């Protein structure tokens, strides 16, 4: 068996299965909004490209087939990373400064009669967002070295993702412990209140019967 010949194929297969991208095509009616969310960890590179699919090739798109696009992070900071009005296509790229849910929203203006536009959207994060063509040109490396570098970056990204998921798990465990503690004290307080009310009722009935000389 000639293992060196199989190595590039093995590397390519691994990289094919390990992808950090979201590519999709969707329809958007005029006057409606479509939002897509992506959970991105801090210091992770992200690249997005979008364009309207022209139903009639060779002819310009009408104003009814243009979009208003906004990309921001849904967190306490609320940073806005990309905004575009009445565009047919566009792209954005940034490095996430904080971990959390990042959202890309597409809005089509009102039109009478209503129209439907088809949007092709490609969102890549992590290793998939890197420009490997530029890396190959700058480094003057062959295909095998390039694939190995991709694999190394993919492994590092997975390693970082594992630490990120571990931190998120610790946060969830801390939240569960806090919730359980609060539920314990709430149950204890409810029990004290119930016993106090029962004691007051017994004392009230005893006083009432003694006053009526029934005891």
């Amino acid at each position: 068996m000639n293992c060196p010949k199989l190595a590039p194929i093995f590397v390519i297969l691994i990289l094919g299965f390990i992808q950090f991208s979201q590519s999709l095509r969707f329809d958007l009616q005029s006057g409606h909004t479509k939002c897509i969310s992506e959970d991105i960890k801090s210091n992770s590179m992200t690249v997005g490209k979008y364009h309207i699919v022209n139903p009639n090739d060779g002819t310009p798109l009408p104003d009814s087939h243009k979009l208003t696009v906004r990309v921001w992070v849904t967190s306490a900071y609320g940073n806005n990373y990309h905004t575009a009005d009445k565009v047919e296509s566009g792209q954005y790229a940034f490095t996430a400064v904080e971990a959390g849910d990042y959202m890309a929203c597409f809005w089509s203006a009102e039109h009478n009669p209503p129209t439907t536009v088809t949007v092709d959207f490609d969102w890549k994060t992590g290793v998939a967002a890197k420009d490997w063509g530029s890396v190959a040109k700058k480094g003057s490396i062959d295909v095998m070295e390039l694939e190995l570098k991709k694999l190394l970056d993919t492994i590092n990204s997975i390693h970082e993702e594992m630490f990120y998921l571990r931190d998120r798990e610790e946060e969830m465990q801390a939240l569960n412990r806090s919730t359980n503690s609060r539920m314990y004290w709430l149950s204890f307080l409810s029990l004290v209140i119930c016993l106090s009310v029962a004691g007051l009722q017994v004392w009230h009935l005893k006083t009432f019967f003694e006053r009526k000389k029934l005891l």
Side-chain angles (χ1 to χ4, degrees):
M1 182 180 293
N2 195 348
C3 293
K5 290 184 178 179
L6 295 176
I9 300 176
F10 178 71
V11 171
I12 294 173
L13 287 175
I14 293 178
L15 291 172
F17 284 110
I18 303 174
Q19 292 293 331
F20 299 87
S21 64
Q22 182 178 12
S23 179
L24 71 158
R25 178 175 291 188
F26 58 89
D27 294 332
L28 180 62
Q29 294 183 350
S30 58
H32 290 73
T33 301
K34 174 73 173 182
C35 292
I36 299 169
S37 179
E38 181 78 8
D39 186 15
I40 304 176
K41 61 179 181 293
S42 60
N43 299 322
S44 180
M45 181 69 181
T46 181
V47 175
K49 297 180 181 179
Y50 56 89
H51 72 272
I52 299 174
V53 179
N54 194 339
N56 300 315
D57 293 335
T59 60
L61 286 171
D63 292 336
S64 60
H65 284 63
K66 293 186 178 181
L67 298 171
T68 295
V69 183
R70 187 186 176 198
V71 180
W72 75 94
V73 55
T74 55
S75 67
Y77 295 97
N79 297 322
N80 189 6
Y81 291 94
H82 175 74
T83 302
D85 293 324
K86 296 182 179 179
V87 295
E88 301 176 6
S89 62
Q91 60 183 5
Y92 57 86
F94 59 88
T95 301
V97 297
E98 56 179 322
D101 291 330
Y102 288 73
M103 188 172 295
C105 288
F106 300 83
W107 178 75
S108 179
E110 292 279 357
H111 189 266
N112 192 12
T115 59
T116 300
V117 297
T118 301
V119 182
D120 194 357
F121 180 45
D122 185 20
W123 196 348
K124 299 179 180 180
T125 60
V127 178
K130 290 187 177 182
D131 187 1
W132 292 105
S134 299
V135 174
K137 292 178 182 178
K138 292 179 181 179
S140 299
I141 54 181
D142 58 19
V143 177
M144 183 61 183
E145 290 174 334
L146 179 60
E147 297 301 334
L148 288 176
K149 183 172 177 57
K150 287 183 180 180
L151 181 59
L152 178 61
D153 284 354
T154 301
I155 293 174
N156 291 333
S157 179
I158 294 175
H159 187 66
E160 294 175 358
E161 186 73 18
M162 292 176 61
F163 281 106
Y164 172 70
L165 293 176
R166 184 181 299 175
D167 292 338
R168 293 292 295 270
E169 182 182 2
E170 290 178 356
E171 291 177 2
M172 293 300 299
Q173 290 179 354
L175 179 61
N176 290 335
R177 287 193 294 267
S178 177
T179 303
N180 292 335
S181 177
R182 293 178 181 178
M183 290 299 299
Y184 169 78
W185 286 110
L186 180 61
S187 301
F188 179 75
L189 181 61
S190 300
L191 179 61
V192 171
I193 292 175
C194 291
L195 293 177
S196 300
V197 171
L200 288 174
Q201 289 179 340
V202 171
W203 175 81
H204 176 74
L205 290 175
K206 182 179 179 181
T207 304
F208 175 78
F209 288 141
E210 288 178 350
R211 188 167 55 247
K212 296 294 184 178
K213 297 181 179 179
L214 297 177
L215 291 179

